[in-house]
Amino acid sequence: MPPRIDIVESFAALKVQPVVKRSFSSTSSCSASTVAQRRRHQDPYALAQARARRAANLSRQEVIRTERLKASGDPVRGIPTPFLQSFNTIRPITISPHPADPSSQTSTGIHPTAPSDTSLLNHFLRTTDLSNSLTRSESLSAPLHRPSLRNTSDPQREKDATRRHKLEHDTAAEAMQRLTSLTNASSADRTRANIQRCIETFGRHNTDSYLRPKPVSTSPRGSDLLNAEAAQGSDLITNTPRVGPDTGSSEVQIAILTAKINTLADFLETRGRKDKVNARNLRLLVHRRQKLLRYLRKKERGGERWKHLIETLGLTEATWMGEIK
């Protein structure tokens, strides 16, 4: 038989411990929802208010994003300017740089020392070359009039020969203008002409005469450098003579890349929508231009060269900070 246990000892073993209240809920948040919370999630009026607030926030975010993109500009094309539009029309324009002295600016808004943008033609020709050649060919092909044979010559026949020569010369001049015009040239010829215009417009062999470089820094390091150069007897500004036109400066390379980017972007928007190779080439050109813009911005920010480049090419913050898709 099992051993017998006293009643007093059995009640002592079953003594109930006091219940301690916890300061946090031991159940999960999913199962701890109250009746009020369930009613709020099921209330159609509250749900409509939440959807309206969410739609208002999303629309406001879209408006802010659109305003920021519009202010920063297109990272590929930037802001349209007359110089950029002349890439497509192949019509030269006159560039009005920022003069060092406002009093030296003419009434037409052009600095007197600024290079005149002469019209370029196909086959590496200019308008002056074509006009000189046409004048020389007209003089060489003109009919001869001998004064010694004036008594035996026929005046009417000479007039007909002169009229025929003028008509033939006008026809030949029109044909030469059509052959050398860039409007009838290929895309490669137009790009080559635009590159030449960029070199003449932004090359330092021309801009050094009317665009001042950025002032020397006034930091202690810059003043120490100037004092050291003055102590050695060297000039503060030493100009190395250039050999030929400037084609390697940052502003010239940025302008050339901008011309290539616009040509490639026009092709991708019209005929090359599925051309993935040229789309990748466009991204490479844009990123290369971004690197050069960051470098030039660090060196010439606030200077006349930087302002001239940005205003002429229509470049914005998106062109050196934004990304393209």
Side-chain angles (χ1 to χ4, degrees):
M1 293 181 62
R4 298 182 64 181
I5 302 176
D6 298 337
I7 297 175
V8 178
E9 294 179 359
S10 64
F11 280 111
L14 296 176
K15 187 177 180 180
V16 179
Q17 299 293 333
V19 179
V20 180
K21 294 183 179 181
R22 298 183 180 182
S23 58
F24 60 91
S25 177
S26 60
T27 57
S28 62
S29 59
C30 299
S31 60
S33 59
T34 60
V35 178
Q37 291 176 348
R38 289 196 297 270
R39 287 179 180 177
R40 185 168 64 251
H41 288 298
Q42 295 175 359
D43 187 4
Y45 180 73
L47 293 176
Q49 282 186 334
R51 285 193 295 266
R53 287 193 299 267
R54 184 172 183 273
N57 291 334
L58 292 177
S59 63
R60 179 56 182 168
Q61 291 177 7
E62 186 65 25
V63 169
I64 293 174
R65 189 181 300 108
T66 305
E67 291 178 354
R68 288 178 179 176
L69 291 176
K70 186 177 180 181
S72 60
D74 188 5
V76 177
R77 295 183 179 272
I79 300 175
T81 59
F83 187 79
L84 291 180
Q85 293 174 357
S86 66
F87 285 165
N88 299 327
T89 58
I90 314 298
R91 293 179 180 177
I93 61 171
T94 304
I95 305 300
S96 57
H98 302 276
D101 186 7
S103 61
S104 62
Q105 193 173 2
T106 60
S107 59
T108 57
I110 304 172
H111 196 267
T113 58
S116 59
D117 189 2
T118 57
S119 179
L120 296 175
L121 301 175
N122 201 2
H123 308 295
F124 301 92
L125 295 176
R126 294 180 181 270
T127 53
T128 55
D129 301 335
L130 181 61
S131 61
N132 295 335
S133 300
L134 290 176
T135 303
R136 182 171 176 80
S137 64
E138 183 180 9
S139 62
L140 292 176
S141 60
L144 297 177
H145 300 288
R146 298 181 180 181
S148 60
L149 302 178
R150 181 63 60 188
N151 297 329
T152 59
S153 60
D154 188 1
Q156 184 63 30
R157 190 173 295 178
E158 290 181 357
K159 289 182 180 180
D160 294 342
T162 304
R163 190 183 305 108
R164 191 183 311 108
H165 170 260
K166 187 178 183 306
L167 182 61
E168 291 176 355
H169 176 73
D170 293 342
T171 305
E174 180 67 22
M176 289 299 299
Q177 289 179 0
R178 291 183 181 181
L179 289 174
T180 57
S181 177
L182 286 172
T183 55
N184 301 326
S186 62
S187 178
D189 293 333
R190 292 185 183 183
T191 304
R192 177 194 53 77
N194 290 330
I195 289 174
Q196 186 64 29
R197 290 177 54 199
C198 292
I199 294 173
E200 295 296 332
T201 305
F202 298 98
R204 294 191 180 182
H205 62 285
N206 290 328
T207 58
D208 283 343
S209 59
Y210 60 88
L211 293 180
R212 294 179 299 180
K214 183 180 178 181
V216 183
S217 176
T218 57
S219 62
R221 181 179 178 183
S223 60
D224 295 342
L225 181 61
L226 292 178
N227 295 332
E229 291 181 354
Q232 294 177 1
S234 60
D235 297 332
L236 297 181
I237 301 177
T238 56
N239 294 326
T240 303
R242 296 185 182 275
V243 179
D246 176 25
T247 59
S249 59
S250 299
E251 47 266 38
V252 174
Q253 292 296 319
I254 290 170
I256 292 174
L257 288 174
T258 302
K260 294 181 179 179
I261 286 170
N262 288 348
T263 302
L264 198 54
D266 293 338
F267 169 74
L268 292 175
E269 288 181 357
T270 54
R271 296 171 293 166
R273 297 182 180 275
K274 298 183 179 181
D275 194 346
K276 297 183 179 180
V277 176
N278 281 325
R280 178 181 179 274
N281 294 335
L282 178 62
R283 288 195 297 269
L284 293 178
L285 292 177
V286 171
H287 294 161
R288 191 184 304 172
R289 185 180 64 177
Q290 284 181 352
K291 292 179 182 179
L292 290 173
L293 281 171
R294 289 181 188 136
Y295 170 77
L296 187 64
R297 182 170 178 267
K298 181 175 66 175
K299 295 294 183 181
E300 297 288 341
R301 184 180 181 182
E304 295 183 2
R305 292 174 180 172
W306 174 257
K307 293 180 181 178
H308 174 55
L309 178 71
I310 294 301
E311 294 179 0
T312 306
L313 295 179
L315 302 177
T316 59
E317 292 185 358
T319 54
W320 65 80
M321 295 178 59
E323 296 183 359
I324 64 174
K325 297 181 181 180

